[in-house]
Amino acid sequence: SSEVLEAIENVIQGVLQSLAQKKAPVLTLANRTDWRNIEFKDSVGLQMIPQCTAKQIRSDCPQSAKRFALTLKILSMIYKMVQSNTYATKRDIYYSDTLLFGSQSVVDRIIDDISCMLKIPRRSLHVLSTTKGFVAGNLSYTEEDGTKVNCTCSATAVTVPSNVQGIKNLTSHAKFMLIVEKDATFQRLLDDDFFSKASPCIMITGRGIPDLNTRLLVRKLWDSFQIPVFTLMDADPHGVEIMCIYKYGSVSMSFEAHHLTVPSIKWLGLLPSDLKRLNICKDALIPFTKQDQNKLASIQKRPYIACQPLWKKELEIMAASKLKAEIQVLTSLSSDYLSRVYLPNKLQFGGWL
């Protein structure tokens, strides 16, 4: 915490020095949305290059003056929380003064900017993300406040903890981890008792694009147990994008890649090639929108696809057919086809990429 306080003090000192010299204060931070500032490393995923281009938040420019003021406001709130060893969610910060901040997304972006500017992970700033992910299966752990959580005996899923770094005494006999894109598929597998029938496993869903805590938990479980990690996504560009976030990270959070990515993740399904192999009826597939085409084209150009020839092939199948499918398409074969046939066969015969 002394490191965090010192980093904030240095920023404020810079502001005071500028004022003392009768100059308009400026905050400088890395431009974290520019692909030119990102390098791809097989062992880490997408990470920010050390000498990256920066952008300035000026206090004397009408376009950025408010942003400058809000950044200082949130810095002061973080400083107080670190000093008093209290925590707040990004939502708490927004609701402390909704008129001032204007929207939740403004607060979210500034907090990520501060984390990047100070080179300090967000959880060390005492700011917690609101969690939307679920975990179930062969896993138990103790939360920071001493609460014991057992995901094994629960018929319903457990919410991903809001302070993943604080959990300890992790125990599991799981043979693998399964990341499921959608809540509906996750709940279906839960109802079918999949995680105890197949072989002991841990199932996680970020319910779409994963939040920070879900990604931190996937990484922590992988660090703790070193078991294979598989993904079950829709056979569409959006599903591929979500899988890439878990495996390689995202451009906007590339400065924290080391804590968030699991480069050993494997693509279990739903593969575009599975649709033909399983004779899925064409009527059950969904035609691409213009947005799907653009998304797929942008994914195909990314640096990590070049080192994944088998993924590349699957994306080419998708691009050629201009058709996509949700995991639920497997119910056209039989209602429990996913948990009874598809997943057991894939896991037994190595049907992943």
Side-chain angles (χ1 to χ4, degrees):
S1 60
S2 59
E3 188 191 328
V4 181
L5 296 176
E6 194 183 328
I8 296 173
E9 284 161 11
N10 288 341
V11 171
I12 303 305
Q13 213 168 354
V15 170
L16 292 174
Q17 274 168 351
S18 297
L19 291 170
Q21 294 163 1
K22 304 230 176 333
K23 288 181 188 163
V26 168
L27 297 174
T28 305
L29 48 114
N31 193 346
R32 54 188 185 86
T33 53
D34 190 338
W35 273 94
R36 287 170 299 185
N37 288 337
I38 310 297
E39 63 177 352
F40 168 64
K41 243 189 171 164
D42 223 357
S43 57
V44 182
L46 300 175
Q47 60 177 12
M48 196 170 261
I49 57 174
Q51 282 75 41
C52 61
T53 60
K55 59 179 179 182
Q56 291 189 324
I57 303 173
R58 302 190 62 85
S59 59
D60 61 347
C61 165
Q63 280 84 17
S64 61
K66 186 177 181 186
R67 184 82 180 258
F68 181 91
L70 293 181
T71 304
L72 289 191
K73 166 78 174 167
I74 293 176
L75 273 171
S76 76
M77 293 172 85
I78 290 169
Y79 193 86
K80 280 182 196 145
M81 289 192 301
V82 175
Q83 259 186 334
S84 58
N85 196 24
T86 53
Y87 287 81
T89 63
K90 295 193 293 188
R91 211 164 168 68
D92 296 333
I93 290 175
Y94 167 59
Y95 279 109
S96 70
D97 198 335
T98 53
L99 281 175
L100 177 70
F101 293 119
S103 77
Q104 180 71 60
S105 61
V106 167
V107 172
D108 295 355
R109 200 161 55 244
I110 289 174
I111 288 165
D112 286 343
D113 280 345
I114 287 172
S115 177
C116 185
M117 175 171 72
L118 303 179
K119 295 188 172 49
I120 287 169
R122 193 202 295 166
R123 60 203 160 277
S124 303
L125 302 176
H126 286 228
V127 179
L128 304 172
S129 314
T130 316
T131 298
K132 65 185 178 95
F134 288 134
V135 58
N138 195 294
L139 173 69
S140 59
Y141 56 85
T142 309
E143 290 201 356
E144 197 179 27
D145 62 1
T147 309
K148 287 184 168 53
V149 178
N150 187 350
C151 307
T152 314
C153 61
S154 159
T156 55
V158 172
T159 308
V160 167
S162 58
N163 188 355
V164 174
Q165 292 312 103
I167 66 174
K168 48 190 183 290
N169 306 331
L170 285 92
T171 315
S172 177
H173 302 294
K175 297 284 182 280
F176 63 91
M177 207 185 325
L178 182 66
I179 300 169
V180 182
E181 177 187 348
K182 282 187 181 148
D183 193 24
T185 310
F186 180 85
Q187 296 298 340
R188 177 72 215 228
L189 290 172
L190 211 55
D191 294 344
D192 290 350
D193 203 15
F194 172 75
F195 64 79
S196 55
K197 275 182 192 161
S199 64
C201 73
I202 300 167
M203 292 198 315
I204 291 183
T205 180
R207 300 164 77 196
I209 294 172
D211 59 279
L212 195 69
N213 291 327
T214 304
R215 290 171 64 190
L216 283 168
L217 183 64
V218 169
R219 174 67 197 227
K220 187 165 185 117
L221 293 174
W222 183 68
D223 283 338
S224 304
F225 305 123
Q226 294 290 310
I227 51 177
V229 186
F230 301 112
T231 59
L232 181 62
M233 305 280 149
D234 286 341
D236 67 8
H238 191 64
V240 174
E241 171 96 291
I242 289 170
M243 172 172 61
C244 291
I245 290 172
Y246 283 108
K247 186 175 171 77
Y248 295 123
S250 57
V251 173
S252 62
M253 293 299 288
S254 57
F255 63 96
E256 266 212 68
H258 289 271
H259 309 287
L260 294 172
T261 60
V262 180
S264 66
I265 281 175
K266 301 280 184 255
W267 187 3
L268 188 69
L270 186 62
L271 302 177
S273 59
D274 288 338
L275 303 174
K276 196 173 179 186
R277 184 175 60 82
L278 298 171
N279 284 326
I280 301 285
C281 169
K282 268 257 172 80
D283 298 345
L285 305 179
I286 308 158
F288 261 25
T289 62
K290 187 82 187 111
Q291 203 180 357
D292 290 326
Q293 272 172 303
N294 294 342
K295 167 80 79 187
L296 183 57
S298 98
I299 292 171
Q300 285 176 303
K301 289 193 195 98
R302 289 184 195 168
Y304 44 69
I305 297 298
C307 70
Q308 289 281 5
L310 297 175
W311 283 30
K312 204 173 165 197
K313 219 179 227 163
E314 293 293 331
L315 298 185
E316 281 162 5
I317 292 171
M318 202 190 288
S321 74
K322 291 193 173 60
L323 292 168
K324 57 183 183 177
E326 297 185 333
I327 298 161
Q328 283 84 339
V329 79
L330 296 175
T331 55
S332 66
L333 301 171
S334 77
S335 63
D336 58 352
Y337 191 85
L338 176 66
S339 57
R340 188 176 51 85
V341 183
Y342 182 81
L343 289 174
N345 281 352
K346 284 251 169 181
L347 293 162
Q348 190 180 345
F349 301 113
W352 56 80
L353 306 178

